[in-house]
Amino acid sequence: MEYNPDAPWYRRLHWQVLVAMGLGAVAGLVFGEVGAEKVGWIGDLFMKLLRMIIVPLVLTSIVSGVASVGAGRDIGRLFSKTLGYYLLSSLMAAVVGLMMVNLIRPGVGAGDALGTAASREMPELDTPDSAVDLLLDIVPTNFIAAASTADMLAIIFFCIVFGASITTLPERPRTVVTDIFNSFFQAMMALTSGIIKFLPIGVFALITRMTGTTGFDSIAVLSKYFVTILSGLTIHLFLTLPLLLFLLAKISPWTHFLNMREALLTAFSTSSSGATLPVTIRTVKERVGASNKVSSFVLPMGATVNMDGTAVFECVGALFIAQVLGFEISLGAQFVVVLTALLASIGAAAVPSAGLVVIFIVLEAIGLGGNPGATMIVGAMLAIDRPLDMYRTAVNVYSDSCGTAIIARSEGEEGVDAEVR
Ligand code: ASP
């Protein structure tokens, strides 16, 4: 199936998704848990379809992208730009979170109300214990094992070094191998387009389940905390990242935002940067217009390590807990919170609720790790985490696409975000 920007389904897709979201919200509110149960499997099926294509898509995208970058120095340059951007944007996100939590002080006096908030069981997720662990995790002992467990950082590492070694081959084998990977990549993109056609149905089911099961009463109890996170995410999405787009690349933030609409809606509905990755890759290529060379560097790695929304969340969440427990957090300790929030956002997996699990890394750093009160508050936060998770995932994905656009422009790709497509 060839990509055709004029195909009617493609042009209308974001409207279809928006309508599906509205219908899903109404269905969830009207039918509650029953509705959630009835259509939940459709959401699961759609998530499985998206996740099914992640590994082969990332593999072919990175290998063909890196192989076409050319000489080693180019790879080094792209790599440093990418890491530089991740660090800059996530740090800014954490600082935005810090400002908002100090301004609104949502935790002060929230202790009583928290006792009434429902708590649920924490999901079990694997998270690295330290920066060294994170580094060791990146190098796989067995690539096939890494691919079979969708261990993204390990897969990305292997694909980058494999792609780089292709560039050192003599002309004939180099073009043969590069062509093969390019062709496989195109096939994966065609498959992605096919799956994305079902986006409205998947979104409808996911939103029905979300509104049918999230306790809106608990949101009222934690409303100040909720508002603090929402405003931090909103500032980062509509102010900080647009500023970076404009100042670093002279890109119209509005154009980029509109070009990214399908990926943002998908991130919002799935709460998973990982599951959204196929849509992100396709949207950045077809709508934003960035090359595979740049997007294959920034997007797959970004989905796993560059999580600005999660960084905002970690900062606000940890300081909220400290406020509820009545701890005064000194300026020095706030600095530690910013740095560990950054680390936690890197360590968080690209799946729903991962951000809430890694908050213990930040709590540990400020001495609240084993505090039973803190654990209870995290339980209450979990009860209302889904809508916040949806929003922060959209911010996570948006930061990756902004990075791709900025780096692509710096590499001379003038067509990037030249118009709304
Ligand atoms: N759900 C988020 C993501 O996949 C991670 C988080 O929970 O913060 O990007």
Side-chain angles (χ1 to χ4, degrees):
M1 186 185 338
E2 199 142 320
Y3 162 71
N4 169 14
D6 293 324
W9 70 268
Y10 187 89
R11 299 190 75 81
R12 288 197 313 261
L13 188 63
H14 58 280
W15 292 118
Q16 292 178 9
V17 174
L18 277 174
V19 170
M21 279 180 157
L23 290 178
V26 173
L29 289 176
V30 173
F31 300 110
E33 300 258 354
V34 180
E37 241 165 61
K38 283 265 181 292
V39 298
W41 67 273
I42 301 176
D44 289 338
L45 186 66
F46 185 68
M47 291 284 273
K48 280 186 93 170
L49 282 172
L50 285 176
R51 293 169 74 172
M52 170 184 89
I53 51 179
I54 295 175
V55 173
L57 181 65
V58 164
L59 177 106
T60 50
S61 157
I62 298 186
V63 175
S64 68
V66 174
S68 64
V69 172
R73 248 199 350 204
D74 284 350
I75 295 178
R77 193 189 60 238
L78 265 184
F79 202 62
S80 343
K81 281 185 188 175
T82 305
L83 291 189
Y85 171 80
Y86 290 165
L87 219 59
L88 176 71
S89 68
S90 300
L91 206 59
M92 288 171 92
V95 171
V96 167
L98 186 73
M99 273 167 26
M100 293 320 290
V101 76
N102 278 308
L103 212 70
I104 304 181
R105 299 180 69 76
V108 178
D112 293 344
L114 268 171
T116 60
S119 86
R120 296 181 190 180
E121 235 167 77
M122 287 298 285
E124 294 263 336
L125 292 174
D126 249 359
T127 46
D129 295 331
S130 68
V132 175
D133 273 354
L134 189 66
L135 203 68
L136 283 176
D137 278 354
I138 292 176
V139 183
T141 35
N142 175 346
F143 172 71
I144 306 289
S148 73
T149 51
D151 181 351
M152 293 320 287
L153 286 184
I155 295 172
I156 291 167
F157 175 80
F158 177 82
C159 292
I160 290 179
V161 288
F162 179 60
S165 60
I166 293 175
T167 64
T168 63
L169 296 177
E171 163 96 25
R172 213 186 102 73
R174 192 183 66 233
T175 34
V176 171
V177 182
T178 310
D179 282 351
I180 290 176
F181 275 95
N182 271 336
S183 310
F184 269 114
F185 176 54
Q186 279 172 30
M188 287 312 303
M189 288 295 284
L191 180 54
T192 308
S193 298
I195 292 173
I196 288 174
K197 282 190 181 178
F198 297 98
L199 194 57
I201 300 174
V203 163
F204 168 78
L206 290 169
I207 299 284
T208 304
R209 181 163 55 189
M210 195 282 286
T211 41
T213 49
T214 292
F216 283 92
D217 303 342
S218 344
I219 294 185
V221 173
L222 287 171
S223 60
K224 255 179 142 184
Y225 157 78
F226 201 79
V227 166
T228 313
I229 305 243
L230 284 194
S231 42
L233 291 173
T234 305
I235 291 176
H236 195 64
L237 182 65
F238 291 108
L239 201 73
T240 327
L241 288 174
L243 264 177
L244 286 183
L245 269 178
F246 186 71
L247 294 178
L248 298 179
K250 296 272 168 302
I251 288 174
S252 150
W254 191 232
T255 305
H256 185 72
F257 188 78
L258 288 182
N259 279 337
M260 285 305 295
R261 55 196 180 270
E262 273 115 20
L264 291 175
L265 292 172
T266 310
F268 191 78
S269 311
T270 59
S271 280
S272 165
S273 316
T276 310
L277 185 60
V279 187
T280 318
I281 291 180
R282 203 196 64 147
T283 315
V284 166
K285 273 178 66 74
E286 316 292 11
R287 299 250 199 231
V288 173
S291 66
N292 185 36
K293 180 182 108 177
V294 175
S295 47
S296 71
F297 251 94
V298 190
L299 295 178
M301 213 178 349
T304 322
V305 304
N306 182 45
M307 296 196 177
D308 290 14
T310 306
V312 171
F313 171 81
E314 302 303 328
C315 223
V316 174
L319 289 173
F320 165 72
I321 292 171
Q323 286 171 1
V324 174
L325 296 174
F327 288 98
E328 251 332 300
I329 299 292
S330 67
L331 213 62
Q334 299 215 3
F335 181 69
V336 173
V337 169
V338 168
L339 288 189
T340 44
L342 190 74
L343 201 69
S345 74
I346 294 172
V351 297
S353 295
L356 194 60
V357 176
V358 292
I359 205 164
F360 287 103
I361 297 180
V362 190
L363 291 176
E364 198 70 55
I366 49 172
L368 293 176
N371 187 305
T375 311
M376 190 211 88
I377 301 168
V378 173
M381 285 156 70
L382 182 65
I384 59 157
D385 193 51
R386 192 58 184 213
L388 296 175
D389 193 8
M390 294 161 85
Y391 196 12
R392 68 178 182 255
T393 306
V395 175
N396 289 345
V397 167
Y398 195 59
S399 172
D400 297 339
S401 72
C402 288
T404 315
I406 291 170
I407 295 170
R409 274 278 177 105
S410 79
E411 291 286 306
E413 295 179 21
E414 289 308 321
V416 165
D417 281 325
E419 58 181 327
V420 177
R421 297 187 181 95

